[in-house]
Amino acid sequence: MTSSTSENYNYANAINRNLGLFSELEQIKIKNSTVAIAGVGAVGGNYLITLARMGVGHFKIADLDIFEGGNLQRQAGAFISSINKNKVDVMATMIKDINPNVIIETFSSGVTPENIDEFLMDADVVLDGIDAFQIGPRRLLYKKAKEKGLYVIISAPKAYGATLQIFDPKGMSFDQYFNIRDTMTRAEQIAVFLLGLAPSIFTKNQ
């Protein structure tokens, strides 16, 4: 990041149009918040960019994937110039170009048993942008977040709308909500997760 870019950045000016939607005190809280985002592809990448533009001051992002040609039609960080590059590195650069003062920690191995505690450390809230078929890392994320008293939010695209589930650490666990059991096969766990995401409004009445 060049010094001229940093010199051109003014936080108060950048978030000025948030005021009214948020109070000044709420905006300060947003600036001082740490958001952990697991997965920064199609869903998580848009979480990240939107929250950076809102003025969040600290991010922790995890993704083990690289950008590929098939990502170009939907992922925020997918450009010809980013093909074959680590998603977390590309997205970190993009966020620094929005706010050069943002603090962003990257986890290029994704969410793993070895790094999950570090990933969640000091986070205020967790956002789930993990690929729909990666059920193991997702279960780990929710289990550890609940243990640490952290809320986890997931909003998945569905038909022409979106789902929204917010997991309170004092409430029902991820596995309980989706009725996922260790005795299930991986395919069965993925199936009940995908079915459980969709509320009844997306189900066509016969």
Side-chain angles (χ1 to χ4, degrees):
M1 187 61 59
T2 63
S3 58
S4 60
T5 302
S6 299
E7 289 168 2
N8 289 336
Y9 181 77
N10 180 285
Y11 183 85
N13 183 56
I15 57 85
N16 182 58
R17 294 191 181 187
N18 290 357
L19 300 180
L21 179 61
F22 304 117
S23 70
E24 290 186 14
L25 287 177
E26 288 170 334
Q27 189 64 56
I28 291 171
K29 185 176 289 187
I30 288 170
K31 181 180 181 181
N32 293 330
S33 294
T34 298
V35 179
I37 305 177
V40 287
V43 174
N46 283 298
Y47 289 161
L48 180 60
I49 288 176
T50 301
L51 290 171
R53 294 193 187 281
M54 285 174 60
V56 171
H58 189 171
F59 292 101
K60 307 181 88 166
I61 60 173
D63 201 309
L64 52 71
D65 207 359
I66 61 172
F67 283 110
E68 300 175 333
N71 303 145
L72 288 168
Q73 49 75 268
R74 71 191 187 283
Q75 298 197 13
F79 301 91
I80 294 299
S81 60
S82 64
I83 298 300
N84 293 325
K85 294 181 180 178
N86 290 335
K87 289 183 179 180
V88 290
D89 294 337
V90 172
M91 296 307 298
T93 299
M94 289 179 68
I95 297 314
K96 282 286 190 177
D97 209 18
I98 294 171
N99 176 0
N101 298 325
V102 74
I103 298 170
I104 184 160
E105 300 176 62
T106 60
F107 295 76
S108 59
S109 56
V111 171
T112 70
E114 292 74 28
N115 71 17
I116 186 67
D117 291 321
E118 183 183 357
F119 177 65
L120 296 177
M121 185 182 298
D122 298 324
D124 294 298
V125 67
V126 182
L127 303 185
D128 175 7
I130 297 173
D131 182 273
F133 300 102
Q134 297 302 318
I135 195 65
R138 177 169 273 116
R139 292 180 71 196
L140 173 66
L141 178 73
Y142 283 83
K143 179 178 182 292
K144 285 292 187 176
K146 185 176 179 64
E147 290 175 2
K148 296 175 184 296
L150 295 171
Y151 281 83
V152 184
I153 301 172
I154 180 171
S155 179
K158 203 75 172 181
Y160 290 100
T163 69
L164 176 63
Q165 279 97 356
I166 301 173
F167 285 83
D168 184 328
K170 296 179 181 178
M172 186 178 292
S173 73
F174 175 85
D175 281 2
Q176 288 172 330
Y177 181 84
F178 290 101
N179 195 28
I180 295 174
R181 300 182 299 278
D182 291 334
T183 54
M184 291 176 167
T185 65
R186 178 175 177 273
E188 289 171 336
Q189 292 176 352
I190 293 170
V192 295
F193 166 66
L194 294 176
L195 287 171
L197 278 176
S200 60
I201 60 170
F202 289 112
T203 304
K204 183 178 180 181
N205 294 322
Q206 298 296 326

